């Protein structure tokens, strides 16, 4: 099992074999085709081993497919069947002298497609590893942030910067649109924000009563209205059945 701190090293090692094989071809390919007597013992075991070390990092590894090769190759006349583009690249170049005499083979469309596919696999692998390194936010923390965002939406709607209180209630659909999540998710967070299963009723009462006992509005003797934020209790560390946060369906 390759450790995380070794993944870049083994991937770099594999691509060094690729570059050395390409360089070998560019320097010696002009010599022409090698004799069939010299092709049996040329397999580079170290190159093959380098591929084996990177296999755990390749998302598409284990999904074999055929990779086309340039037409007319003397010693590689059929498509390469490989479990990944990296393996196809290794097979194509192993050993490089098998390509001697096949002019401009590394510039061919077929080879460039194999190499491009391998580079895409490499990029996917790097992105996957980067995602793994991102620490996951605890569920209770995500829930608190979600409820805080909900409270902010309500505050900004009912108490805009113009200073005039807006008594028109937001629907769950409107809130869900603003926060880009599903209405069931909004409903769950509304219940937590208002600390009641009848969140809709509690929300309505805060703005429909003339003198609410608690909530957003508080009327003073001079007739002004101020923002009295809802204080909600600390949420528990874990809450069963609340896997969906903002953005989830």
């Amino acid at each position: 099992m390759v450790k995380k701190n070794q993944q870049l090293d083994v991937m770099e090692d594999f691509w060094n074999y690729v570059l050395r094989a390409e360089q070998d071809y560019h320097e010696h390919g002009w010599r022409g085709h090698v004799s069939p007597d010299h092709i049996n013992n040329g397999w580079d075991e170290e190159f093959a081993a380098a591929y084996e070390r990177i296999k755990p990092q390749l998302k598409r590894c284990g999904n074999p497919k055929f990779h086309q090769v340039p037409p007319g190759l003397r010693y590689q006349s059929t498509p390469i069947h490989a479990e990944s583009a990296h393996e196809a690249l290794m097979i194509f170049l192993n050993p490089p002298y098998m390509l001697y005499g096949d002019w401009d083979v590394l510039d061919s469309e077929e080879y460039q497609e194999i190499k491009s596919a391998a580079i895409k696999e490499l990029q996917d692998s790097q992105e996957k590893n980067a995602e793994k390194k991102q620490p996951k936010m605890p569920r209770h923390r995500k829930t608190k942030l979600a409820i805080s965002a909900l409270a902010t939406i309500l505050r900004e709607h009912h108490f805009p910067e113009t200073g005039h209180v807006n008594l028109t209630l937001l629907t769950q659909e409107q809130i869900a649109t603003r926060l880009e999540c599903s209405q069931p998710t909004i409903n769950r967070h509304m219940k937590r924000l208002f600390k009641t299963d009848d969140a809709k009723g509690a929300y309505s009462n805060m703005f429909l009563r003339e003198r609410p006992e608690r909530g957003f509005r508080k009327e003073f003797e001079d007739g002004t209205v101020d923002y009295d934020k809802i204080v909600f209790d600390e949420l528990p560390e874990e809450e069963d059945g609340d896997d969906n946060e903002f953005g989830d369906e």
Side-chain angles (χ1 to χ4, degrees), residues 46-204:
E46 293 183 358
F47 194 176
Y51 169 71
E52 291 297 321
R53 288 192 291 270
I54 67 171
K55 282 175 61 173
Q57 300 184 50
L58 302 178
K59 295 173 62 175
R60 298 179 182 177
C61 191
N63 185 25
K65 60 173 290 187
F66 284 98
H67 298 264
Q68 297 298 320
V69 298
L73 294 185
R74 183 165 185 175
Y75 294 121
Q76 183 65 62
S77 59
T78 60
I80 298 174
H81 189 251
E83 60 188 2
S84 68
H86 275 76
E87 185 184 33
L89 191 62
M90 184 271 295
I91 294 174
F92 190 92
L93 296 171
N94 192 0
Y97 66 70
M98 296 278 286
L99 302 174
Y100 290 0
D102 292 316
W103 309 118
D104 299 324
V105 65
L106 299 189
D107 294 324
S108 66
E109 180 179 347
E110 291 80 5
Y111 177 74
Q112 290 301 317
E113 285 184 358
I114 294 174
K115 189 173 182 180
S116 295
I119 292 174
K120 179 62 167 57
E121 288 179 350
L122 173 62
Q123 293 172 338
D124 290 345
S125 172
Q126 292 173 335
E127 291 175 1
K128 182 179 179 182
N129 290 335
E131 290 174 359
K132 286 183 177 180
K133 292 179 181 179
Q134 294 293 331
K136 292 185 177 181
M137 183 182 296
R139 184 190 303 173
H140 72 278
R141 176 61 177 163
K142 291 177 64 179
T143 302
K144 285 183 180 181
L145 291 177
I147 295 174
S148 177
L150 172 59
T152 299
I153 288 294
L154 296 178
R155 183 187 67 238
E156 292 178 348
H157 171 73
H158 292 290
F159 298 90
E161 293 182 356
T162 59
H164 299 288
V165 178
N166 181 0
L167 299 181
T168 303
L169 300 180
L170 287 172
T171 66
Q172 283 194 6
E173 182 179 3
Q174 290 172 321
I175 298 173
T177 299
R178 295 190 185 191
L179 295 177
E180 299 181 351
C181 64
S182 66
Q183 291 189 49
T185 299
I186 291 296
N187 184 51
R188 286 194 296 273
H189 292 315
M190 289 283 283
K191 289 179 180 179
R192 286 173 172 79
L193 179 62
F194 290 101
K195 304 185 185 69
T196 176
D197 287 338
D198 185 18
K200 183 177 180 180
Y203 175 42
S204 298

Side-chain angles (χ1 to χ4, degrees), residues 3-64:
K3 295 181 180 180
K4 287 185 178 180
N5 59 359
Q6 296 176 319
Q7 290 178 346
L8 290 178
D9 291 338
V10 297
M11 189 64 78
E12 182 179 2
D13 184 52
F14 174 84
W15 280 92
N16 281 337
Y17 277 101
V18 172
L19 295 177
R20 284 197 293 268
E22 290 182 338
Q23 183 177 0
D24 181 287
Y25 169 83
H26 287 306
E27 292 180 355
H28 306 291
W30 57 269
R31 296 181 178 180
H33 297 113
V34 298
S35 169
D37 296 335
H38 293 83
I39 67 174
N40 294 326
N41 298 319
W43 181 256
D44 188 341
E45 294 290 349
E46 293 183 358
F47 194 176
Y51 169 71
E52 291 297 321
R53 288 192 291 270
I54 67 171
K55 282 175 61 173
Q57 300 184 50
L58 302 178
K59 295 173 62 175
R60 298 179 182 177
C61 191
N63 185 25

